[in-house]
Amino acid sequence: ENLEKIVLACKRQGITNHYFVAAVLANALKEAGGKTIAEFSYRNTPYDSLRVIFGGLRMSKYTPAEWDRIKQNDIEFFDLMYGLTSADRSKPEGFKHFSVGDVFKYRGRGFIQFTGKSLYSRLSQIAYGDERYVSNPDLLLDPENAAQATAAFMKLSIQSGTAMRLPGVNYPPTSQANADLLVTSMVAGGGDVRKFEQGRKILGIVNGYSPNYTVGASPGGTRVAELLGQ
């Protein structure tokens, strides 16, 4: 049911290439199992696991003992890990990249784990022409709103020209392999996921899901084509 909402939301945004939509569904399954979830607290995550998740460079800012204290406060942890720098903290409130607490408030949510106030705003404008995701970020935990945000993100990513930066890949894609690479790279930030070991692993997961939704490949694929009007 959630995946069908994504298909219909993509159709609403004029995204009807069945290879591309199959890749969107595969990424929704890879990112959050086709569910709408919010990024969890790291209060109980061991220091060594945090180093794996966030990398040694970011973790080197503080000692393990300091991180044990910091991670008990979700707002402080997210601000330090993702957002406010020391330079930001010295700026007047209106000139900071984030206000205190914004990073946690606009943490990863939805089918694709969208993150950041500016992205929430852009997706809300594309989906509805207003700022409802900014005023109520938990809307992205509602499947219908999360589906609309997913389609809005794909439209935004198509417009950004990600395909132009991937050798041999165009939009609309003409094969499922190219669609998987394109959408997975979009979700990862626009860079070629094949350049990194973890990116190649993620692409492999997407490659495993997407054939289930390709036209003619399975009953699921037939249903996607039906929803797209094909």
Side-chain angles (χ1 to χ4, degrees):
E1 184 177 348
N2 285 349
L3 298 184
E4 288 188 0
K5 290 181 186 298
I6 296 173
V7 175
L8 292 173
C10 285
K11 183 179 180 181
R12 177 172 174 254
Q13 292 295 343
I15 301 170
T16 58
N17 178 275
H18 65 268
Y19 294 126
F20 189 90
V21 174
V24 174
L25 300 184
N27 270 272
L29 289 165
K30 178 264 295 180
E31 286 285 316
K35 301 176 182 179
T36 56
I37 62 174
E39 190 173 4
F40 54 82
S41 170
Y42 294 93
R43 293 183 183 191
N44 298 318
T45 306
Y47 177 79
D48 288 344
S49 297
L50 290 174
R51 285 182 61 87
V52 172
I53 296 168
F54 295 105
L57 182 60
R58 277 192 265 189
M59 293 300 298
S60 66
K61 296 176 183 177
Y62 298 93
T63 67
E66 288 172 325
W67 279 120
D68 282 342
R69 178 194 63 78
I70 292 168
K71 70 183 182 182
Q72 298 310 309
N73 183 319
D74 292 329
I75 291 177
E76 182 180 9
F77 179 85
F78 274 73
D79 276 347
L80 290 173
M81 189 59 70
Y82 291 112
L84 292 169
T85 65
S86 57
D88 286 325
R89 293 178 187 280
S90 68
K91 296 176 183 178
E93 188 68 24
F95 292 93
K96 291 178 179 177
H97 294 299
F98 300 100
S99 297
V100 173
D102 272 1
V103 183
F104 182 70
K105 183 176 182 180
Y106 300 103
R107 65 193 182 278
R109 287 183 180 85
F111 295 121
I112 306 292
Q113 294 298 278
F114 302 119
T115 305
K117 184 177 182 179
S118 62
L119 182 57
Y120 276 54
S121 176
R122 295 177 79 181
L123 298 184
S124 192
Q125 286 292 338
I126 293 171
Y128 297 110
D130 58 31
E131 293 288 300
R132 67 185 66 184
Y133 294 159
V134 176
S135 59
N136 186 2
D138 279 339
L139 282 175
L140 290 184
L141 298 179
D142 167 69
E144 180 60 37
N145 277 286
Q148 297 301 330
T150 299
F153 176 81
M154 294 305 159
K155 183 174 182 178
L156 180 65
S157 298
I158 291 167
Q159 292 172 342
S160 75
T162 299
M164 302 298 291
R165 300 191 292 272
L166 300 173
V169 177
N170 296 304
Y171 183 83
T174 55
S175 72
Q176 193 59 57
N178 280 355
D180 290 351
L181 173 59
L182 177 57
V183 176
T184 306
S185 295
M186 287 173 170
V187 171
D192 190 335
V193 294
R194 296 171 299 184
K195 293 183 177 181
F196 306 97
E197 181 180 359
Q198 185 61 23
R200 291 191 292 271
K201 289 180 179 179
I202 290 171
L203 182 59
I205 295 171
V206 171
N207 291 157
Y209 282 128
S210 61
N212 295 319
Y213 305 100
T214 300
V215 171
S218 69
T222 303
R223 178 61 176 154
V224 169
E226 177 187 334
L227 291 169
L228 291 172
Q230 298 173 354

